[in-house]
Amino acid sequence: TTPVETTTPSPTVSPTPTESPAPDLMGLKTFVFNGTTTADLARNTLNALKAQFGVAEAGKGVDTAPQTIGQTAIYYKGAGLEAAATYLAEQYFKDVQVSVVPLNVDATIPGNPDLVIYIGTDYVGTL
């Protein structure tokens, strides 16, 4: 009989999944509105976002709302900012379920912001 030559297949290497880089929030004009009765929440939140992520101030809303908002929401201007809004929701407001929603193109908000944050009473419970 003639010996049969066999070859051992080389092992396949699966690529290591890589995390996509965090979106750059530096300089994004951000407007914060306090939808709660907690004093200075818009100002304090905006200052924290500036320090932690480098966002720029587009303006602060009324710091105590005449009518409260239950759920915190981040509105973004244009599809290119959805990742930034989602990242901010996940990193800063991680203890609440934040709605991330496109900003209505007809919305008139002082400072022409890239991101508008409405802080709800759900967030106050995590402070």
Side-chain angles (χ1 to χ4, degrees):
T1 65
T2 309
V4 176
E5 190 174 318
T6 60
T7 59
T8 307
S10 49
T12 58
V13 178
S14 300
T16 305
T18 58
E19 289 185 28
S20 52
D24 186 9
L25 303 177
M26 184 68 69
L28 286 182
K29 293 185 339 184
T30 305
F31 186 95
V32 179
F33 179 81
N34 180 0
T36 77
T37 56
T38 303
D40 299 324
L41 189 57
R43 178 181 302 107
N44 294 340
T45 300
L46 182 59
N47 288 339
L49 294 173
K50 287 175 7 182
Q52 187 172 347
F53 300 103
V55 302
E57 181 175 337
K60 290 179 286 288
V62 176
D63 219 359
T64 50
Q67 185 175 15
T68 59
I69 298 168
Q71 185 179 14
T72 300
I74 300 176
Y75 293 83
Y76 58 91
K77 183 178 174 182
L81 293 174
E82 182 176 7
T86 300
Y87 180 76
L88 193 61
E90 292 169 350
Q91 296 300 309
Y92 188 79
F93 297 100
K94 53 185 147 200
D95 294 329
V96 295
Q97 183 69 36
V98 177
S99 295
V100 177
V101 186
L103 186 62
N104 184 328
V105 294
D106 296 330
T108 304
I109 300 169
N112 192 27
D114 299 307
L115 302 174
V116 178
I117 301 169
Y118 286 87
I119 302 171
T121 56
D122 59 344
Y123 176 65
V124 174
T126 67
L127 297 177

